[in-house]
Amino acid sequence: MNSAINEPAQFVTVNNERFRVFITEEKIKTRVKELAEEINRNYAGKTPILIGVLNGSFIFFSDLVREITVDCEIDFFKLSSYGDAKISSGNVKLLKDLNCQVTERDIIIVEDIIDSGLSIDFIKNLISKQNPRSFSVVTLLYKRDCVKIDFKVDYIGFQIPNHFVIGYGLDYTQKARNLRSIYILDK
Ligand code: IMP
Ligand code: MG
């Protein structure tokens, strides 16, 4: 097979703004496997519920869950915070609640990206009230200069600078979620 076919486009343009490739599909794949291996080790003999945060985490979630080898269940939250902007509105709204019971269960929240940390803080508060047996968070991306939370994120795919990124589930005005690599605003 011609390997050039699998090379990601170096640049994409969304809403007339240029983004350059930042984390390739291949690097994401390797890291997702490593995260899953860590989770498999830590949850051996348990049956965690993996809870994806829609919409952004849908691709990461489905890739991660297929690398999980312990018995697990899944569910989803849907939150909104960004609207169509590149900066968080600072307002977290719950658009879809869980269908499962989290009391006395091992909960793993699956996020695409933690930016200000407002969303994950909101979720932690919501879940804590229902007394889970354990609570942990896995996020593919973590904006290290931005996050303001007072708890530890257990599994981090990549720590990234405070720049806007798209692709692999992450959107810009609902577009670009389908890109296979992660792209960063090319300033
Ligand atoms: P937080 O509440 O500020 O931590 O933001 C969390 C949510 O905002 C994420 O789950 C994403 O859906 C979205 N978000 C944060 N940063 C970015 C970005 O750089 N690109 C696209 N979406 C983002
Ligand atoms: Mg999200």
Side-chain angles (χ1 to χ4, degrees):
M1 187 161 45
N2 183 349
S3 66
I5 292 170
N6 293 325
E7 292 291 322
Q10 290 304 300
F11 295 95
V12 294
T13 300
V14 182
N15 300 332
N16 287 320
E17 291 183 79
R18 207 160 93 117
F19 292 79
R20 70 184 150 77
V21 75
F22 181 54
I23 309 173
T24 61
E25 185 182 358
E26 213 169 14
K27 285 210 175 106
I28 298 170
K29 200 171 170 187
T30 305
R31 190 68 189 122
V32 169
K33 271 199 174 149
E34 290 170 356
L35 291 171
E37 277 163 17
E38 229 182 297
I39 292 171
N40 288 332
R41 274 197 302 275
N42 293 344
Y43 287 83
K46 298 181 177 160
T47 307
I49 311 179
L50 285 108
I51 298 178
V53 186
L54 297 172
N55 291 336
S57 75
F58 79 112
I59 293 181
F60 174 47
F61 187 93
S62 62
D63 282 349
L64 182 75
V65 86
R66 282 177 291 178
E67 299 293 342
I68 297 290
T69 51
V70 297
D71 276 349
C72 65
E73 298 172 23
I74 65 152
D75 204 347
F76 296 95
F77 272 124
K78 185 170 165 110
L79 296 186
S80 85
S81 70
Y82 264 52
D84 282 344
K86 288 209 283 291
I87 300 165
S88 168
S89 66
N91 229 326
V92 183
K93 265 198 300 188
L94 182 64
L95 301 179
K96 183 217 166 288
D97 206 343
L98 300 176
N99 293 107
C100 65
Q101 296 295 323
V102 305
T103 307
E104 289 301 313
R105 298 297 304 268
D106 296 303
I107 303 302
I108 306 176
I109 302 293
V110 182
E111 263 284 27
D112 51 351
I113 185 166
I114 297 180
D115 180 357
S116 67
L118 268 177
S119 310
I120 196 62
D121 201 50
F122 177 90
I123 287 174
K124 185 164 196 275
N125 284 329
L126 218 65
I127 297 264
S128 302
K129 285 185 196 140
Q130 299 170 58
N131 301 313
R133 180 183 301 131
S134 69
F135 175 88
S136 71
V137 177
V138 50
T139 185
L140 182 66
L141 304 173
Y142 184 88
K143 284 191 190 166
R144 56 180 175 243
D145 304 327
C146 246
V147 186
K148 299 178 215 81
I149 45 175
D150 58 5
F151 59 91
K152 192 177 137 272
V153 173
D154 308 81
Y155 310 92
I156 295 176
F158 302 93
Q159 296 215 11
I160 65 166
N162 181 19
H163 293 303
F164 192 68
V165 289
I166 57 169
Y168 197 69
L170 290 141
D171 76 302
Y172 182 21
T173 63
Q174 299 306 325
K175 297 190 199 94
R177 295 193 195 275
N178 54 324
L179 297 173
R180 302 176 77 102
S181 297
I182 292 170
Y183 291 75
I184 194 161
L185 197 57
D186 187 40
K187 291 233 173 98

